[in-house]
Amino acid sequence: QFKKNFLGQSADKFTRAASSQKCFRTSDIDKVGHTNRHLTFFEMLGNFSFGDYFKTDAIAWGWEFLTKEMSLPKEKLYATIFKDDSEAYDLWKKIVPESKIIRMGEETNFWNMGPTGPCGPCSEILYDLGPEYSCKKPDCGPHCDCDRYLEVWNLVFTQFDRQEDGSLKNLPRKNIDTGMGLERLAAVANGKTNVFETDLFAPIIEELSDILEVKISENPFQLRMMADHVRSVCFLIADGILPSNEGRGYVLRRILRRALRQGKMFGAEKPFLYRLSAEVAEIMKSAYPELSQRRENIASITKMEEEKFLETLESGTKILEEIMAKYKSSDVVKNKGNLKSKFVIPGDEVFKLYDTYGFPLDLTKEIAKENGLDIDEEGFKSAQRDAQKRSRAAWSGSGEKDLSFYSELHKDLGNTVFVGYDKTNAVSKVLALTKNHKKVNALNEGEEGEIILSETPFYAESGGQEGDTGEIKSQKGAVLEVKNAIKPVNNFVIHKVEVKKGTIAEDEEVTGTVDIKRRENIMRHHTATHLLHKALREVLGKHVTQAGSLVAQDFLRFDFTHLAALKSEEITAVEEIVNNAIRDNMPVCVSQMSLGDARKVGAMALFGEKYTETVRAVAINDEKDNHYSLELCGGTHVRRTGDIGMFKLISETSIAAGTRRIEAVAGEAAEKYFRHIDNLLDDISSKLKATKTEISAKLDKLMSREKEFEKEISKLKSQLASGGTQDLLKSVKDVKGVKLLTAKLADTDINSLRDLSDNLRIKMGSGIIILANIEKEKLSFVVSVTKDLVEQKYSAGKIAKNLASLVGGSGGGKNDFAQGGGKDISKIDSAFNKISEHLL
Ligand code: ATP
Ligand code: MG
């Protein structure tokens, strides 16, 4: 954030700064847990000089801070310097014995911003934790990367400007840029030898050991790694990042899944990381209250991602094991000549695992490593690129023709002046007319085409807001209906028109008038969209960001990032916040500002959107003149929130993983919506012959009566059917001494068939009963065999199976009773015959 200050290009008045900031790096991820000092999330303290104080003060003050403020014992501190930095050497010599100044090479003690430009040597302050932490190599010393000498602070002296030819020129303004890890400082200041032993981590590690039922002393590395990752997950989510397969979301996903897999190796079957968010929030709350505020949100997002991964982890692990087995055997290497060496899993396999099972690259890498295998990372990346290309290819291919026509026109005519923020009509000149992508001199009555004006009050479709409609009249009496306005290139506005009367020609003077009522409704929905955005972030959390929007005259649609469906209380809360903001009748203020200033005051901007240097900011201000909402937006808005009238959310759905969609109405559209609901209720209440307040009770009553009816009908049906037993008994056949009854019935149900069959069984004493119920396009049947025949190995289940296969269906059951169904109604008679033949 200080790049401009360092280069002397900032307008800031100050020349010194001190900072404490959240850092997240994955560059040390493999080390986390294994060393005493590496984390993925940490807090970095820093002090900066922009052409102000330099090396002398930076070193003296660094020393003073550590030895006086933090009371670290002097004898334990060492300093490293860049080997050629004699200035630093001389400065340190005044402070520590020369034996404690270590000259180091470029890789650790020289900082570059890029191949050319500002750069300079650095000097690190190390803390000696004692010989027991040494790697015990004979040459172990302060230059060693092991755990003994802990780097606490890095002081960077930006004093050179590297030239194209590699030579170093002195910078006119020298800078200081230092970084000190808070966790490392906390460790040494508290006499600990490991960042994980500080109170920033110890409670998290303890809780992890409780939840997973593993002893800290037996698995310190794994628990430390998980504790670190959990902290990162909490902070990333609190900063508005959601797990996804791209960019920052993917980094979050990787780290979460890495920790979860470790838990799974300890036997965790259920999500558990989310349970730690409370502890993390508790530890960090004084400095980062947002963690407590968003605790529930953090927990639920974490839990959902855990559930998702646990589902696929098992199957993915199995697949990976198979792959590993394959690439461990040397045969494969011989057969696949293209493999570099054995023990390397090819990139496309790694990608498949990533694509189908959500296995992050470094997770596969880690599992492979545990099994003595490598992975082809380059191959993975190229497989990923191919997949992206394929999905992009599927998207493109439309619209280019239009665009080239318009950009040619735009080259000639330039941008259109938009005057529609302040007025809804304007006098203007016809610059061009087009029809079917060709320029024309005139458009005649009845013709449709496009018109380009020198200036326009018509808002062209953009930023989700629909284009204006209205009328254009020429001085010569032509009348054109404006059906839409778009801006295909830059601010070049194309009006889609139909000539209603007369003829319009190039160069004529015209007056354009926007359909005011429609525009006002659009403005209500647009300002309401900003209020909705604000309310969603308040209710659901700061991770909510706009993913898409449509602002129309009769409704608004707002897509945003959020994982779960909104609970009904959340919906109510959102509606209340928006409607309160409407009643507060806050002014909507539009201003132009530099992009930098807009960022500074926290304006909400869209990700991936390109903004110009000067941006239009739409602020809704509260009575103290603070920004209640501030968004970068080119749309048209009401003057005060009260103009919106009212707001009602009408639907909330999911449109993609992690993306929700809200539709809502405001102002007149809301009024219409309520009227519609009210009419509906009137209609229902007149049909139910109940007042509106009685509707619900009346419906309950009707519904319970319906249930009773159903029961009654079913009872009656079976009674009717059993009344028919006498008739049915007449058709009993004797097949080799076994009584067989087959019968077709119509329009009854399976329960009645069962009752009937039970009745017949009693009446017959011994026998086989097959009853089929014939409906319009299907049949169902029951088969019942009396106990004595079951003992003789007759089976209702087998008969049902046979019968079903004869009528094109399925069936089965126990030996004494079975049921089934089929589609070939016409085959039932022959099927009955076949069954009886079979018994013979
Ligand atoms: P190391 O050599 O120990 O990895 P570094 O040279 O990468 O450290 P810098 O990039 O100079 O460190 O960062 C400045 C300071 O930030 C370090 O002196 C250290 O106190 C802290 N720091 C850097 N990386 C980490 C990390 N992964 N975890 C915790 N603190 C860190
Ligand atoms: Mg490092």
Side-chain angles (χ1 to χ4, degrees), residues 22 45 83 135 163 165 169 267 301 351 353 362 368 420 481 503 555 562 567 644 655 696 712:
K22 296 177 277 187
L45 311 177
K83 58 185 185 352
C135 59
Q163 305 298 299
D165 63 1
K169 231 171 92 181
I301 291 171
F351 179 71
L353 217 49
D362 36 23
E481 181 192 341
T503 294
F555 80 113
H562 183 61
K567 300 190 198 93
I644 299 169
I655 53 164
S696 178
E712 189 70 19

Side-chain angles (χ1 to χ4, degrees), residues 8-25:
Q9 296 163 353
S10 164
D12 290 334
K13 294 279 180 305
F14 57 83
T15 55
R16 298 176 178 191
S19 68
S20 160
Q21 61 185 314
K22 296 177 277 187
C23 284
F24 179 81
R25 356 181 125 156

Side-chain angles (χ1 to χ4, degrees), residues 25 27-28 31 37-38 151 184:
R25 356 181 125 156
S27 51
D28 297 322
K31 296 184 202 154
R37 66 180 196 278
H38 287 106
E151 176 190 327
R184 295 185 185 185

Side-chain angles (χ1 to χ4, degrees), residues 58-228:
I59 288 178
W61 292 344
W63 182 258
E64 180 187 328
F65 181 77
L66 291 181
T67 55
K68 293 223 175 86
E69 304 289 333
M70 303 311 301
S71 310
L72 297 185
K74 292 179 182 148
E75 64 281 6
K76 297 221 166 154
L77 296 177
Y78 286 73
T80 67
I81 56 157
F82 177 56
K83 58 185 185 352
D84 303 334
D85 191 357
S86 51
E87 198 183 352
Y89 191 90
D90 292 338
L91 288 167
W92 275 119
K93 211 165 68 179
K94 292 184 200 148
I95 300 173
V96 293
E98 284 181 71
S99 61
K100 291 197 164 175
I101 309 172
I102 294 94
R103 291 179 191 268
M104 306 275 288
E106 260 202 70
E107 29 344 306
T108 58
N109 284 54
F110 199 93
W111 177 85
N112 294 293
M113 194 160 83
T116 58
C119 59
C122 47
S123 175
E124 301 162 332
I125 306 178
L126 315 179
Y127 185 95
D128 181 8
L129 291 171
E132 61 273 37
Y133 293 94
S134 157
C135 59
K136 309 270 173 2
K137 284 187 196 125
D139 62 344
C140 178
H143 58 274
C144 185
D145 209 26
C146 76
D147 272 353
R148 174 166 177 182
Y149 298 93
L150 176 75
E151 176 190 327
V152 180
W153 205 342
N154 188 5
L155 317 176
V156 182
F157 315 123
T158 322
Q159 61 191 93
F160 301 121
D161 184 5
R162 194 181 292 278
Q163 305 298 299
E164 293 286 347
D165 63 1
S167 64
L168 297 174
K169 231 171 92 181
N170 273 326
L171 268 181
R173 291 157 40 98
K174 293 180 174 145
N175 299 314
I176 292 291
D177 171 359
T178 83
M180 169 158 59
L182 177 71
E183 295 77 4
R184 295 185 185 185
L185 179 64
V188 292
N190 286 297
K192 311 277 189 200
T193 54
N194 190 316
V195 291
F196 296 102
E197 281 162 16
T198 63
D199 51 10
L200 290 169
F201 287 95
I204 306 176
I205 293 177
E206 265 159 40
E207 193 174 335
L208 269 170
S209 108
D210 277 354
I211 293 178
L212 297 169
E213 296 171 10
V214 291
K215 283 212 179 99
I216 300 177
S217 55
E218 285 167 12
N219 303 286
F221 305 132
Q222 292 86 337
L223 290 172
R224 286 171 187 169
M225 177 274 270
M226 292 164 83
D228 165 77

Side-chain angles (χ1 to χ4, degrees), residues 581-586 638-646:
I582 290 172
R583 280 190 296 271
D584 284 343
N585 200 19
M586 294 180 273
V638 297
R639 282 175 203 283
R640 299 189 77 100
T641 55
D643 298 341
I644 299 169
M646 61 177 145

Side-chain angles (χ1 to χ4, degrees), residues 561-575:
T561 50
H562 183 61
L563 284 176
L566 265 63
K567 300 190 198 93
S568 76
E569 19 350 326
E570 288 171 334
I571 289 180
T572 311
V574 167
E575 285 180 340

Side-chain angles (χ1 to χ4, degrees), residues 529-548:
T529 302
H530 287 206
L531 293 177
L532 171 65
H533 191 182
K534 162 87 180 177
L536 285 170
R537 285 170 69 93
E538 212 167 303
V539 174
L540 304 176
K542 295 285 180 286
H543 62 281
V544 167
T545 39
Q546 178 170 342

